[in-house]
Amino acid sequence: MNINEIAKLAGVSRATVSRYLNNGYVSEEKKERIRKIIEETGYQPSSSAQTLRSKKTNFIGVIIPKINSDSISRMVSGISSTLAGAGYQMLLACTHNHEKEELRFLNLFKENHVDGVILLGTIFTAEHRKVLKSLSVPIVILSQYLSGYSCVYSDDYRAAYDLTSYLAGTGTRIGYLGVTEKDEAVGKERLRGVREALQDNHQTLPDEYIRECMFDMESGAAQAKALLADVPDIDTVICATDTIAAGALQFLKSAGKRVPEDIQIAGIGDSSLSRVTEPSLTTVHLYYEEAGTEAARLLFDLIQNGEAAIQKEVKLDCKLIVQGSTRGGEQL
Amino acid sequence: MNINEIAKLAGVSRATVSRYLNNGYVSEEKKERIRKIIEETGYQPSSSAQTLRSKKTNFIGVIIPKINSDSISRMVSGISSTLAGAGYQMLLACTHNHEKEELRFLNLFKENHVDGVILLGTIFTAEHRKVLKSLSVPIVILSQYLSGYSCVYSDDYRAAYDLTSYLAGTGTRIGYLGVTEKDEAVGKERLRGVREALQDNHQTLPDEYIRECMFDMESGAAQAKALLADVPDIDTVICATDTIAAGALQFLKSAGKRVPEDIQIAGIGDSSLSRVTEPSLTTVHLYYEEAGTEAARLLFDLIQNGEAAIQKEVKLDCKLIVQGSTRGGEQL
DNA sequence: ATGAAAGCGCTAACAT
DNA sequence: ATGTTAGCGCTTTCAT
């Protein structure tokens, strides 16, 4: 069943059918005839033929490092509903933390396949910039800042700053479990937030109070152990993510520390984990789902307005959530 | 840059270029000429034109109820890597728990867009069967059994049976927090597993020992409360999912119950939550990621072998994981 | 082994 | 408001 047959059955030209499909000028009478035939036959236009002619795919490529993550799946959820609402389909490419795959997918989306790309990246190399520059479709960077591109990101600095400022009131020897500074957002910005908040509270963050973790609980537990060994009298541990905090919490409890009485602990991200640990984790809500929504909106803008579109940077609010893992917090 | 220009630059016909692209007969000499030109120009064939001609999209549609779920994101992760490895792209459609959307996406994928569909459904209505029947591309049902279709699912019955059998050894008054029986797998099968295991251990599951929950912690907490109010001397609570168990655990602790001493509690799914609660949850591992992988493999088979493909049902193994929330378990 | 030619199903410019 | 027409970029006979 194709447009020619529909045209024949409805007694019109195929151009008229096409106009009907693309809301052009069609008389009410023929509109009705066409509508009826399409309903009867269950005709659906071939999207590949449409794409071939019109260069519009209605696909948006979304590249993510992994899917099984609280923060990422929330962002994808926001993207997904916003795209669907605008008639787009989501082509989800998952790199499983392989940076090279990120480039492969970008190249795959290049010139082809998609009307736009949302890249939820973590680390940007020179190679990334090169491929990004060569991309002919609009792109939005999500969860990281990248100069020269429209991007949506959390206020990582302020999340860490606010959290640390709050804790500086109740802790005196404050340590930090962070991640690699190659990650500008979670790595660099959160560390900067912690550091500056301490400075502003007339405290410092000596190097031996800082440990670098991976993004998982095991690493959080291991680094908490290392930190405690080096600085036995530490009384507060701030973690770059809730997952790291959950791991650290697990270790500290197993080491016989009372949380928050002996050591208080906090994370960032307001993940579902933070409500389930005992004590529940003081953390910072980062509006991940809204970030996904906003990224999709920015992309629509770029797609619709082409060259005329204004590049935008959206930094989202954050909200401190005080729970049982810090002194003065309340257990769920 | 299109195939005609490449042909001209290489001094061959466009048919030869097409053959080069689709590994047909091309002399070594021309092969080399074409290869060089393609490399120089960075030419990439238009996928829409290829699709229009060859009817192959290299897209697989995946329909899921929500993305921010431990079990689902694991399955999607398995699907994603398997598809990518075979040169397919994943078109992810998320219904956000709107059953009607499921039908909308199936219709969208119908006749068009995709080479195959993986449906991670929950509830199958008559309307579902109708739309599924009308689908012209191969489909695999994931995480539910549906007669007449290739499907991949967990051994929900045995997971519940094994878990219950284990607990029947240490508990005497056993309650169950389940979900709607409209969900055949998580609803019906897990309940059946619990029931039959109790029978085989000469115990019963009276109606007042059963509560129906939604798939979230709040509901788990609320129903645990209701259950405890009705059956104050309950000593074991089995939950259909870890999330429900986490909610129930939270309530029971807040009600002053000691877990597992006063009441033992268990879930199913081996989610990351189960390792973080205190005590950590006894649960059953269900190989979600492998289920996703297997679903993709089954779909490949259907796509490649067309009418000749054999319909298959794959039921996956499960593994009991005993942790601190049950007597005899070990706290992480 | 290669080229010529037909056409996949659609949209958009043009003419009326 | 509608029809005619010319492709979009590719694959696939059919000749040679």
Side-chain angles (χ1 to χ4, degrees):
Chain A
M1 192 56 57
N2 65 28
I3 200 171
N4 285 307
E5 300 190 51
I6 299 298
K8 201 173 293 169
L9 287 171
V12 299
S13 77
R14 73 173 178 227
T16 304
V17 178
S18 175
R19 284 193 194 97
Y20 171 86
L21 258 21
N22 300 280
N23 47 53
Y25 296 128
V26 183
S27 66
E28 283 307 320
E29 181 214 338
K30 304 207 166 169
K31 241 181 208 161
E32 179 50 27
R33 290 221 304 268
I34 297 171
R35 194 200 57 69
K36 212 175 134 199
I37 297 292
I38 290 185
E39 186 182 318
E40 280 170 25
T41 55
Y43 163 73
Q44 283 199 297
S46 148
S47 52
S48 43
Q50 288 179 313
T51 298
L52 180 58
R53 258 319 297 246
S54 63
K55 302 299 176 224
K56 199 161 180 327
T57 66
N58 286 319
F59 289 142
I60 299 293
V62 177
I63 304 176
I64 59 176
K66 62 175 175 172
I67 183 134
N68 187 21
S69 141
D70 208 83
S71 56
I72 294 172
S73 64
R74 284 181 200 204
M75 289 190 260
V76 172
S77 189
I79 294 172
S80 154
S81 20
T82 313
L83 291 187
Y88 283 96
Q89 290 269 45
M90 179 172 69
L91 222 45
L92 191 68
C94 182
T95 66
H96 300 276
N97 283 317
H98 281 283
E99 207 189 275
K100 255 178 75 183
E101 290 287 282
E102 216 160 271
L103 300 171
R104 194 173 71 78
F105 285 126
L106 279 172
N107 275 313
L108 196 79
F109 289 153
K110 193 170 153 178
E111 316 265 4
N112 231 328
H113 291 317
V114 300
D115 294 341
V117 173
I118 295 176
L119 173 59
L120 207 164
T122 49
I123 292 167
F124 291 108
T125 64
E127 182 77 5
H128 275 81
R129 288 192 166 270
K130 196 177 122 198
V131 178
L132 285 174
K133 201 155 289 170
S134 76
L135 216 67
S136 62
V137 291
I139 182 159
V140 171
I141 310 292
L142 178 51
S143 100
Q144 298 278 337
Y145 166 79
L146 187 64
S147 84
Y149 293 91
S150 276
C151 33
V152 178
Y153 47 92
S154 306
D155 197 341
D156 292 284
Y157 169 78
R158 195 156 69 74
Y161 187 97
D162 288 358
L163 178 62
T164 306
S165 300
Y166 173 77
L167 293 172
T170 49
T172 53
R173 284 170 305 282
I174 299 180
Y176 180 62
L177 300 182
V179 302
T180 173
E181 293 194 44
K182 284 184 193 161
D183 182 320
E184 291 277 334
V186 181
K188 221 173 214 165
E189 286 297 292
R190 295 188 187 176
L191 173 57
R192 192 168 67 88
V194 171
R195 198 164 249 147
E196 297 194 3
L198 287 177
Q199 259 165 32
D200 293 352
N201 282 277
H202 314 291
Q203 295 192 248
T204 54
L205 185 65
D207 281 351
E208 67 268 28
Y209 282 58
I210 306 178
R211 297 283 155 170
E212 187 175 309
C213 297
M214 310 277 89
F215 285 89
D216 56 53
M217 280 179 58
E218 291 68 31
S219 175
Q223 294 306 317
K225 184 173 186 177
L227 180 62
L228 190 68
D230 267 26
V231 191
D233 62 346
I234 197 141
D235 70 3
T236 301
V237 179
I238 297 174
C239 304
T241 73
D242 284 351
T243 306
I244 292 171
L249 175 63
Q250 206 159 65
F251 165 74
L252 291 174
K253 288 198 298 187
S254 78
K257 295 288 177 184
R258 291 170 308 160
V259 178
E261 294 82 358
D262 299 335
I263 298 188
Q264 52 184 354
I265 275 195
I268 292 180
D270 191 22
S271 75
S272 52
L273 285 186
S274 69
R275 318 260 163 176
V276 161
T277 56
E278 177 169 324
S280 46
L281 287 169
T282 288
T283 183
V284 184
H285 184 76
L286 290 182
Y287 300 97
Y288 284 126
E289 184 144 6
E290 289 81 355
T293 300
E294 195 56 39
R297 292 224 186 95
L298 247 55
L299 190 56
F300 294 160
D301 185 34
L302 291 177
I303 291 172
Q304 275 164 22
N305 299 323
E307 298 294 297
I310 331 160
Q311 180 190 307
K312 284 181 199 147
E313 291 167 17
V314 176
K315 177 150 64 174
L316 292 156
D317 192 18
C318 61
K319 197 172 79 198
L320 181 64
I321 296 185
V322 178
Q323 294 186 145
S325 69
T326 55
R327 296 188 272 280
E330 197 180 321
Q331 176 57 20
L332 280 187
Chain B
M1 191 58 56
N2 64 30
I3 200 171
N4 285 307
E5 300 190 51
I6 300 297
K8 202 174 294 170
L9 287 170
V12 299
S13 76
R14 70 170 178 231
T16 305
V17 178
S18 175
R19 284 191 195 98
Y20 171 86
L21 258 19
N22 301 280
N23 47 54
Y25 295 128
V26 183
S27 66
E28 282 307 321
E29 181 214 339
K30 304 207 167 173
K31 241 181 206 158
E32 179 51 24
R33 289 221 305 265
I34 296 171
R35 194 200 57 69
K36 213 175 134 200
I37 296 292
I38 289 183
E39 186 181 318
E40 280 171 22
T41 56
Y43 163 73
Q44 283 198 296
S46 147
S47 52
S48 42
Q50 287 179 313
T51 298
L52 180 59
R53 261 317 300 249
S54 62
K55 303 297 175 224
K56 198 160 181 324
T57 66
N58 287 318
F59 289 141
I60 299 292
V62 177
I63 303 176
I64 59 176
K66 62 175 176 172
I67 184 133
N68 186 22
S69 142
D70 208 84
S71 56
I72 295 173
S73 63
R74 282 180 202 205
M75 289 191 259
V76 172
S77 190
I79 295 172
S80 155
S81 22
T82 313
L83 292 188
Y88 284 97
Q89 289 270 45
M90 178 172 68
L91 222 44
L92 191 68
C94 181
T95 67
H96 299 276
N97 283 317
H98 282 283
E99 207 189 273
K100 256 178 73 183
E101 290 288 280
E102 215 161 273
L103 300 171
R104 194 172 71 77
F105 286 126
L106 278 172
N107 275 313
L108 195 78
F109 289 153
K110 192 170 156 179
E111 316 266 6
N112 231 327
H113 291 315
V114 300
D115 294 342
V117 173
I118 295 176
L119 173 59
L120 208 165
T122 49
I123 293 167
F124 290 108
T125 63
E127 181 76 6
H128 275 83
R129 287 194 168 271
K130 198 177 121 196
V131 178
L132 285 174
K133 201 155 288 170
S134 77
L135 216 67
S136 62
V137 291
I139 182 158
V140 171
I141 310 291
L142 177 51
S143 100
Q144 298 278 336
Y145 166 79
L146 186 65
S147 83
Y149 293 91
S150 276
C151 34
V152 179
Y153 46 93
S154 305
D155 197 341
D156 292 283
Y157 169 79
R158 196 158 68 74
Y161 187 97
D162 289 358
L163 177 63
T164 305
S165 300
Y166 173 76
L167 293 173
T170 49
T172 52
R173 284 172 304 283
I174 299 180
Y176 180 61
L177 299 182
V179 303
T180 173
E181 292 194 46
K182 283 184 195 161
D183 182 320
E184 291 277 335
V186 180
K188 218 172 215 163
E189 285 298 293
R190 294 188 188 176
L191 173 58
R192 190 167 70 86
V194 171
R195 197 165 249 146
E196 297 193 4
L198 286 178
Q199 259 165 32
D200 293 353
N201 282 277
H202 314 292
Q203 294 191 249
T204 55
L205 186 63
D207 281 351
E208 68 269 28
Y209 282 58
I210 305 178
R211 297 282 154 169
E212 187 176 308
C213 298
M214 309 278 89
F215 284 90
D216 56 51
M217 280 179 59
E218 290 68 32
S219 176
Q223 294 306 317
K225 184 173 185 176
L227 179 62
L228 191 68
D230 268 26
V231 191
D233 62 346
I234 196 141
D235 71 1
T236 300
V237 179
I238 297 173
C239 305
T241 73
D242 284 350
T243 304
I244 292 171
L249 176 61
Q250 207 160 61
F251 165 74
L252 291 174
K253 287 197 298 188
S254 76
K257 297 287 177 185
R258 290 172 308 161
V259 178
E261 295 81 358
D262 300 333
I263 299 188
Q264 53 183 352
I265 202 165
I268 291 179
D270 191 20
S271 74
S272 52
L273 284 187
S274 71
R275 317 260 163 174
V276 162
T277 54
E278 176 169 325
S280 47
L281 289 169
T282 286
T283 182
V284 184
H285 183 76
L286 290 181
Y287 300 96
Y288 285 126
E289 183 144 7
E290 290 81 354
T293 301
E294 195 55 40
R297 290 222 187 96
L298 248 55
L299 190 57
F300 294 160
D301 185 35
L302 292 178
I303 291 172
Q304 274 164 24
N305 300 323
E307 299 295 298
I310 330 160
Q311 179 190 306
K312 283 179 199 150
E313 291 166 17
V314 177
K315 177 150 64 177
L316 292 157
D317 193 18
C318 62
K319 197 173 79 197
L320 182 64
I321 297 186
V322 177
Q323 294 187 143
S325 68
T326 54
R327 296 187 271 281
E330 198 179 321
Q331 177 56 19
L332 281 186

